Amino acid sequence: DGRMIATRQKTWATEGNWKAHKGSAVNQISCHPSGKLALSLGADRVLCTWNLVKGRVAYKTNLKSRSTLGTQPDCLTWSPTGDYFTLCGFRAAEIWSIKSADVLLSRKTKEKPICVCWVADELCLVGLESGKILWLEVTEDEGDEGKVMR
């Protein structure tokens, strides 16, 4: 129904009950390593950045125009430091920067990405439907562009 409910584990008391995606299903949730932010992705194809301290949406990104992700983006996963997160689509994997709130890399794939695992602060592995693994790494560029993907 588009709601997210935060429940305290020790007492099972409801700490928050938020309408997240205007009645559309919440398909993915990923909490930032700090525990202060979260991302949610709904069937409405809106990516919400949540301020968990204040219990409200801090930012919304409409993904409807991002044709690279297809109709059902998924694999929403934070990097260990929380500087980056992944989004995958039917035949694409993207790494976003939290600082720029934009895509650092969009990599087309021949198969559907089915899982993502960050194995280091700047190293991400994407499991593909065929059993292959796509290796993505954030590296320092010698130029003025800062961090880039390879």
Side-chain angles (χ1 to χ4, degrees):
D1 65 359
R3 290 186 301 148
M4 292 189 346
I5 299 171
T7 305
R8 185 169 301 279
Q9 287 180 316
K10 190 173 184 178
T11 63
W12 294 102
T14 298
E15 296 292 325
N17 186 340
W18 308 293
K19 271 281 193 199
H21 291 277
K22 297 184 180 180
S24 295
V26 179
N27 295 333
Q28 302 276 320
I29 298 174
S30 185
C31 288
H32 189 271
S34 70
K36 296 178 181 179
L37 294 174
L39 296 172
S40 68
L41 181 60
D44 58 357
R45 296 180 63 201
V46 173
L47 177 69
C48 293
T49 304
W50 290 85
N51 178 330
L52 295 178
V53 175
K54 295 183 179 180
R56 64 178 187 222
V57 173
Y59 190 77
K60 290 184 178 185
T61 304
N62 189 337
L63 300 175
K64 291 174 189 162
S65 64
R66 298 198 56 82
S67 61
T68 57
L69 292 173
T71 58
Q72 285 292 312
D74 57 11
C75 297
L76 180 61
T77 310
W78 286 100
S79 67
T81 59
D83 292 334
Y84 313 104
F85 64 90
T86 57
L87 270 178
C88 296
F90 178 64
R91 289 198 172 156
E94 294 183 345
I95 294 188
W96 292 57
S97 167
I98 193 67
K99 291 177 185 169
S100 67
D102 204 359
V103 178
L104 285 176
L105 171 75
S106 182
R107 182 74 50 87
K108 290 183 180 181
T109 61
K110 292 183 180 180
E111 303 92 17
K112 181 181 189 235
I114 58 171
C115 61
V116 173
C117 180
W118 287 86
V119 294
D121 291 345
E122 298 179 339
L123 176 60
C124 174
L125 303 178
V126 179
L128 304 175
E129 198 170 42
S130 66
K132 295 180 182 176
I133 296 174
L134 177 64
W135 174 295
L136 301 174
E137 185 175 3
V138 179
T139 60
E140 291 290 335
D141 189 296
E142 302 260 335
D144 294 331
E145 297 173 12
K147 297 199 180 216
V148 297
M149 303 301 292
R150 65 176 165 144

